Amino acid sequence: MKNSQQFSDTQQSAVRRRGLALQISPVAAACAMLLFTAQVCQAQSATAAETKAQAENAQQLETVVVSGIRRGIEASVASKRNSDSIVEVISAEDIGKLPDTSIAESLSRLPGLTAQRVDGRAQGIQVRGLAGNFAGTLLNGREMVSTSDNRGVEFDQFPSELLSAVKVYKTPDASLVGQGLAGTIDMQTVRPLNFGGRQLVFNARAERNSNGQVTPGPGANGNRLSASYIDQFADRTIGVAIGFAHLDSPGQEKHYKSWWWADTGPWGKQIAGVPKGAATLNGFEDTVTASKQVRNGLMAALEYKPNDKFHSVLDLYYSKFKQERNYRGLMSNLGPTWNDATEPVYSNVKTGEVNGDLFVTSATVGNLKPVHLSQFNTRDDDIRAFGWNNKLKIGDSWVAAADLSYSRAKRQEQFMELSAGSVLPTTLDVNVQTGSGISQITTPFNYSDPSKILLSDPGGWGRDGRSNYPMSNDEIKALRLSAKRDLEGFFSSVELGLNLNQRSKDVDMMEYELNLKNGRVPVAVPSNLLLGNTSLAFGGIPAVLSYDVVGAKDALYNQVEVGADKTFARHYGVSEKVSTAYMQANIDTTLFGRPLRGNMGVQYVRTHQESNGFVWDGSKSVPITGGTDYVDWLPSLNLVSELPADTIVRFGLARSNARPRMNDMRAGFTGVSVDPVIKTWTGSGGNPTLKPWLADSVDLSIEKYIGKRSYISYAIFHKKLLNWIGEGKVLYDFTGFPNNGKPPVQPISNIGILSTLQNGNGGMVAGYELAASLEASMLSKALDGFGVVASYSNTRSTVKDDGFKNGIDGLSGVVRSLSVYYEKGGFSARLGQRYRSDFSAKTRGIFYSEAISNINEETVTDMQVGYSFDAGMFKGLGLLLQVNNLTDEPYRTSVSVGNGKNPDNLMPERYTTYGRQIMMGVNYKF
């Protein structure tokens, strides 16, 4: 067999297209009305201001210093206005004052951005409707590693307290290395010499989950602590900053899942007692999880600037994240098993129609052996980042810079489950929820009775338990050299640079089966391991037994490693060497008497990528490698025109890319065999020769500024996809693979069909965005202190990648946010809400495999109330009450119906609630 096999670089697939009509929502209409109101208010105030100008100039003006929410908005608006690109910005005050346990929560409120929740926490960030893998993520301008299985950064790993600002670039420029196709998120830590003096800040918050403790394990209470120190020495030539943030956050989850829906009659298996043509709910699970998330973050910066010619900054970032999850629940098959001995029997059947399909809505189902499942899962993440930046001014016109960086992310997990149940079959009364909600299950059997619940294999899975140990290691080394020369004339300066980036990611997972030491004979849980009962009343089950999973595993089970013939695809590595040379000319001139600024430039990006993995040759796993080289030219143009009446028009034109998901690039195959019908080799696997997503983008933004903290903007964008990645089938040479059929089938040829990811071309992503930040005092002085920040975005795509509802991973057609705040006299209050429409995304499935989920629309609401003492003996002290997920918004997914008459009919799948996150705390600054 060949030890090294490669894919063809020329394999492509056809692209199917579809379009979505633009729609206007009430939020968009409200933004338009706000723009009109703001224009009227400004026009009215302008005349009055002119008549009073002379009198006001004769008076001594009082300097008004704002802080808190309004100061953060002011800093963000100023940064947005002064940028040469289309950007969104969060300032330090924004992060410090909003109820955010991580930077992910803060980012999710920016125009055109939204978050994907994982375990109830905002984790992944989508920019302009595209999944996190389409966006570049930087820390202090350097590409950042990820603890996920791919490139997408898990933003809940970054404490908001340790960041000074975050800038999201929606249009790239040539000097922005590590950019993404959707946008680029640059997280920035503090620079101590930017502060006027010493600063000490302490924060402490107590936290409680409103669900209470749902099962034995971590409790419902937690805490959050942080401290930072900033100072300057040696006549302000040396600056030091140190920050520490500790998070101990409880998670208390109630979860229901419908396994699958189908009319199984056309498959030759009509379920006994089910009317012909009726679809059934073919399985369910009711579970609860008590978890604890502990994160310790550390930031440090050392800054040295002895004069105007030399500037050096050394920055360090460290984050340690530990999670423990205790899971208990009841689940059961309700559909056909294709085994007469275990087939379910339906009686007392009632049916109803949903969107043209007939469903069983209630029934008594017999001959079942529900599974009582208990899990103990842990996760340990370790992120380290180091950067050293030096700038030297040479003569009057040149500035040379060198930047050296290193970052690493390690993840280690443990997944352990044990099953138990009744020895004899039982019955369930099922009241099926065909809309949003939870099906109700009742049973005469007592699943909390330790004498009746036996550790065993009631589901017939061939094992009594399972244990997996996934691991990943992601590492980036980079060196950047650049030189900038000031010019006079149309171009204000020119910059040249070279960035060398080397990245490697290794993924591994050991798998074990757990079987009872007594020959797999069902056995009761020892009394010393019992932990009481767990309520599943939300799903109709009064209680289930709780016990110590780790203790039971250690005392009663043997652990046997799963054979390499079943796990070889779990081990792979991907490495990349990316060299980026760029040139950028910055523009600062006038056009028709109006200021014009911006930049134009180009990146030359050369990539060498390799992947290694394994295939099975019939007796052992054999290494396999693959890879490719390619070059991309990425030109960019940004123009900013300042028009009268504080109006700015921005135009962007660029080619940008997003490198493939790293697990899609893995070498190695699964399921290799000869199809007995078509007598052709078939298999599935990754594709190490994938080339990146590539798009030509056009952006236009119009921004109207009204004072320091008010603006309104309208932006449109269009991305023409020159290259994309989707599921497909390609021809592949299977020479050397074992023919293990029983009996072996002689193939027509060694050239067979491989199901894999491949490049295609054509399609587009386009949309528009409305955003506004307005102070109510523009309408009336009586409303001083009130304000609103709102945004609305609408995105559509013609790409149709199989399995994704809107064609592309993570695409929500509509995203909107609204925040209303009041801040005056030390008192502050804020109510915020974010919404995203339905979308499909790749998520972790069973046993850590990847699956596509159809995630329903959701609206998440947060609130905050606080008071800061600005004078007196308590000056610098602040009090805070905040509630995240105020309405306990459920996480819901949907799934299609097998053999349904309506192909667009989606039925409920998951319904999970995480409870409200309630925090009270104090902060002190001096």
Side-chain angles (χ1 to χ4, degrees):
M1 163 167 203
K2 298 178 181 179
N3 288 339
S4 178
Q5 305 184 35
Q6 295 192 352
F7 293 83
S8 168
D9 287 342
T10 61
Q11 295 160 345
Q12 295 181 340
S13 65
V15 179
R16 289 177 288 172
R17 308 183 178 201
R18 69 183 178 90
L20 297 174
L22 293 177
Q23 299 178 347
I24 295 293
S25 77
V27 172
C31 288
M33 181 60 71
L34 286 171
L35 174 59
F36 174 78
T37 303
Q39 292 277 28
V40 171
C41 292
Q42 188 183 42
Q44 290 175 344
S45 62
T47 302
E50 290 173 1
T51 61
K52 297 180 180 179
Q54 185 174 1
E56 290 180 348
N57 288 338
Q59 299 176 0
Q60 181 179 2
L61 297 178
E62 179 183 359
T63 300
V64 178
V65 179
V66 297
S67 61
I69 296 174
R70 290 193 290 176
R71 179 180 173 184
I73 293 173
E74 183 176 313
S76 297
V77 170
S79 182
K80 178 181 178 72
R81 180 170 184 169
N82 295 329
S83 175
D84 288 341
S85 303
I86 299 176
V87 300
E88 307 296 342
V89 182
I90 303 171
S91 77
E93 284 292 330
D94 271 325
I95 299 170
K97 292 295 182 179
L98 298 182
D100 302 317
T101 57
S102 73
I103 196 59
E105 301 281 354
S106 302
L107 285 167
S108 66
R109 285 188 290 272
L110 291 177
L113 276 69
T114 189
Q116 183 172 331
R117 291 196 293 170
V118 176
D119 297 335
R121 310 185 309 276
Q123 186 180 88
I125 295 295
Q126 284 80 39
V127 180
R128 287 184 160 174
L130 297 176
N133 287 288
F134 293 100
T137 302
L138 314 176
L139 180 63
N140 293 321
R142 308 173 185 108
E143 186 176 357
M144 195 59 190
V145 289
S146 172
T147 52
S148 73
D149 294 332
N150 285 285
R151 301 182 192 277
V153 167
E154 296 178 328
F155 287 91
D156 59 344
Q157 298 279 1
F158 295 89
S160 57
E161 300 94 332
L162 301 185
L163 299 174
S164 65
V166 182
K167 181 175 285 188
V168 180
Y169 293 87
K170 294 181 177 178
T171 58
D173 61 53
S175 66
L176 187 65
V177 177
Q179 58 189 255
L181 184 142
T184 307
I185 302 171
D186 187 11
M187 300 178 290
Q188 301 165 5
T189 56
V190 299
R191 294 293 174 257
L193 291 182
N194 291 342
F195 289 75
R198 178 185 300 167
Q199 188 174 105
L200 287 167
V201 179
F202 299 95
N203 288 278
R205 299 179 192 178
E207 178 181 345
R208 180 166 178 81
N209 187 286
S210 64
N211 277 344
Q213 186 172 2
V214 296
T215 191
N221 298 325
N223 61 79
R224 179 178 175 184
L225 306 169
S226 67
S228 61
Y229 166 73
I230 299 172
D231 209 345
Q232 304 79 32
F233 305 93
D235 294 328
R236 296 188 56 81
T237 61
I238 298 176
V240 176
I242 301 174
F244 173 77
H246 168 79
L247 175 73
D248 185 345
S249 180
Q252 302 293 329
E253 170 189 315
K254 300 178 182 179
H255 169 81
Y256 165 80
K257 181 181 178 182
S258 301
W259 280 2
W260 56 293
W261 304 75
D263 172 10
T264 60
W267 293 332
K269 198 63 181 178
Q270 185 68 38
I271 302 174
V274 174
K276 187 176 181 180
T280 53
L281 167 63
N282 293 302
F284 79 94
E285 60 188 58
D286 286 328
T287 66
V288 294
T289 302
S291 65
K292 178 171 69 171
Q293 289 69 229
V294 177
R295 183 190 63 209
N296 290 308
L298 178 68
M299 173 277 301
L302 175 63
E303 190 172 10
Y304 178 55
K305 190 175 183 182
N307 49 51
D308 292 337
K309 293 185 177 296
F310 182 69
H311 187 196
S312 181
V313 181
L314 177 68
D315 57 77
L316 305 171
Y317 179 85
Y318 175 78
S319 176
K320 180 72 173 178
F321 178 84
K322 296 177 68 69
Q323 182 184 62
E324 176 187 318
R325 292 174 59 83
N326 290 259
Y327 162 112
R328 296 177 179 92
L330 188 70
M331 57 189 64
S332 179
N333 174 66
L334 299 173
T337 63
W338 282 268
N339 182 338
D340 291 341
T342 58
E343 288 292 342
V345 178
Y346 278 62
S347 60
N348 303 320
V349 174
K350 294 183 180 179
T351 60
E353 187 174 299
V354 180
N355 298 326
D357 286 319
L358 186 66
F359 291 90
V360 172
T361 57
S362 67
T364 299
V365 187
N367 198 33
L368 299 176
K369 282 193 172 183
V371 177
H372 174 289
L373 199 67
S374 300
Q375 295 179 358
F376 178 79
N377 305 325
T378 62
R379 173 171 174 170
D380 290 274
D381 295 339
D382 185 285
I383 301 176
R384 304 180 183 199
F386 153 88
W388 186 25
N389 183 271
N390 294 276
K391 292 182 179 179
L392 176 64
K393 186 174 182 181
I394 304 173
D396 296 330
S397 302
W398 284 95
V399 175
D403 188 278
L404 181 67
S405 63
Y406 172 83
S407 61
R408 188 194 71 187
K410 282 189 174 182
R411 187 189 76 230
Q412 293 185 317
E413 298 177 83
Q414 173 187 276
F415 169 88
M416 183 189 302
E417 70 174 23
L418 302 178
S419 58
S422 169
V423 174
L424 300 175
T426 186
T427 61
L428 298 177
D429 290 317
V430 183
N431 187 3
V432 179
Q433 176 60 257
T434 57
S436 178
I438 299 173
S439 295
Q440 296 297 299
I441 314 293
T442 58
T443 177
F445 190 82
N446 184 0
Y447 280 91
S448 64
D449 188 340
S451 66
K452 296 180 180 179
I453 300 299
L454 304 181
L455 297 170
S456 56
D457 179 21
W461 296 338
R463 50 180 168 76
D464 302 325
R466 189 181 184 100
S467 184
N468 295 348
Y469 297 87
M471 296 172 283
S472 72
N473 185 70
D474 193 3
E475 186 178 66
I476 296 178
K477 303 172 184 177
L479 172 65
R480 178 169 175 167
L481 303 172
S482 65
K484 182 178 180 180
R485 188 183 191 281
D486 292 333
L487 302 173
E488 294 182 359
F490 184 84
F491 294 111
S492 61
S493 63
V494 62
E495 182 177 351
L496 305 172
L498 174 66
N499 189 84
L500 305 176
N501 184 295
Q502 182 175 316
R503 183 172 192 170
S504 63
K505 187 150 195 166
D506 296 299
V507 176
D508 196 2
M509 184 167 75
M510 303 301 296
E511 298 185 44
Y512 299 87
E513 289 187 353
L514 303 176
N515 290 310
L516 289 163
K517 295 178 179 179
N518 62 2
R520 302 193 63 201
V521 176
V523 62
V525 178
S527 59
N528 65 310
L529 299 177
L530 295 176
L531 300 176
N533 296 332
T534 292
S535 172
L536 299 178
F538 65 90
I541 308 295
V544 296
L545 189 69
S546 300
Y547 60 90
D548 181 351
V549 175
V550 176
K553 178 256 182 186
D554 292 341
L556 303 175
Y557 291 80
N558 289 319
Q559 180 170 283
V560 179
E561 185 174 354
V562 175
D565 59 327
K566 299 178 182 179
T567 63
F568 59 88
R570 306 286 196 188
H571 318 282
Y572 64 88
V574 176
S575 63
E576 299 172 326
K577 293 181 179 179
V578 181
S579 302
T580 304
Y582 69 90
M583 180 176 66
Q584 177 173 302
N586 298 308
I587 301 169
D588 191 358
T589 186
T590 59
L591 183 66
F592 304 117
R594 304 302 307 174
L596 178 70
R597 53 188 168 88
N599 54 69
M600 61 186 300
V602 63
Q603 287 186 356
Y604 169 84
V605 184
R606 180 175 182 81
T607 302
H608 171 76
Q609 64 190 39
E610 293 181 350
S611 178
N612 58 77
F614 294 90
V615 294
W616 186 252
D617 72 351
S619 61
K620 63 182 181 302
S621 59
V622 178
I624 182 173
T625 62
T628 190
D629 297 88
Y630 55 85
V631 169
D632 287 321
W633 289 89
L634 306 177
S636 61
L637 171 68
N638 287 284
L639 294 175
V640 182
S641 178
E642 299 185 18
L643 302 182
D646 292 318
T647 300
I648 292 179
V649 176
R650 302 180 191 270
F651 175 76
L653 188 65
R655 175 168 291 179
S656 54
N657 69 359
R659 292 198 293 278
R661 293 166 56 93
M662 302 194 86
N663 67 340
D664 290 343
M665 297 164 58
R666 70 191 185 278
F669 311 129
T670 59
V672 177
S673 63
V674 179
D675 188 293
V677 178
I678 61 176
K679 297 182 179 180
T680 301
W681 283 101
T682 61
S684 61
N687 186 346
T689 68
L690 284 175
K691 294 180 180 179
W693 291 72
L694 193 66
D696 284 342
S697 304
V698 181
D699 291 78
L700 179 66
S701 175
I702 302 174
E703 302 163 5
K704 169 67 177 178
Y705 291 89
I706 315 147
K708 294 182 178 180
R709 293 179 290 276
S710 295
Y711 79 95
I712 194 158
S713 67
Y714 175 77
I716 57 175
F717 63 92
H718 186 281
K719 299 179 184 295
K720 180 182 179 182
L721 296 176
L722 308 177
N723 191 40
W724 61 279
I725 299 169
E727 300 279 353
K729 299 180 184 298
V730 300
L731 297 178
Y732 187 78
D733 186 355
F734 286 89
T735 299
F737 280 85
N739 190 342
N740 294 323
K742 296 181 180 180
V745 178
Q746 185 63 34
I748 298 173
S749 166
N750 282 335
I751 304 299
I753 300 173
L754 180 68
S755 298
T756 185
L757 280 296
Q758 58 182 329
N759 290 118
N761 54 63
M764 67 84 182
V765 177
Y768 65 89
E769 298 169 347
L770 287 162
S773 173
L774 298 171
E775 291 187 292
S777 59
M778 295 187 303
L779 298 175
S780 171
K781 293 295 183 182
L783 298 177
D784 182 42
F786 287 96
V788 60
V789 180
S791 69
Y792 173 92
S793 65
N794 186 296
T795 307
R796 66 191 191 280
S797 172
T798 60
V799 175
K800 183 63 177 178
D801 190 3
D802 290 342
F804 293 106
K805 183 176 182 180
N806 297 325
I808 297 181
D809 187 3
L811 178 60
S812 285
V814 174
V815 172
R816 60 176 183 259
S817 66
L818 177 66
S819 294
V820 179
Y821 67 86
Y822 175 78
E823 187 175 53
K824 191 174 183 180
F827 178 80
S828 64
R830 176 190 164 277
L831 182 66
Q833 186 180 88
R834 65 179 191 267
Y835 165 86
R836 70 178 302 181
S837 59
D838 297 352
F839 67 103
S840 298
K842 288 187 176 181
T843 60
R844 271 194 166 184
I846 188 171
F847 304 132
Y848 293 84
S849 61
E850 196 170 64
I852 296 176
S853 294
N854 297 311
I855 303 172
N856 295 6
E857 64 178 2
E858 64 180 21
T859 302
V860 180
T861 306
D862 305 319
M863 63 83 65
Q864 170 189 4
V865 178
Y867 184 81
S868 297
F869 294 88
D870 298 326
M873 63 182 297
F874 296 114
K875 182 179 180 181
L877 179 67
L879 306 176
L880 186 68
L881 168 66
Q882 56 194 49
V883 183
N884 295 345
N885 194 21
L886 183 64
T887 60
D888 195 11
E889 179 75 0
Y891 173 84
R892 298 173 297 133
T893 64
S894 301
V895 65
S896 59
V897 181
N899 296 319
K901 296 178 182 178
N902 181 358
D904 297 324
N905 203 1
L906 291 176
M907 298 301 290
E909 184 189 31
R910 295 179 181 87
Y911 189 99
T912 307
T913 58
Y914 302 101
R916 299 170 182 84
Q917 185 184 36
I918 305 166
M919 288 183 281
M920 296 182 64
V922 298
N923 57 76
Y924 190 71
K925 177 179 178 180
F926 60 93

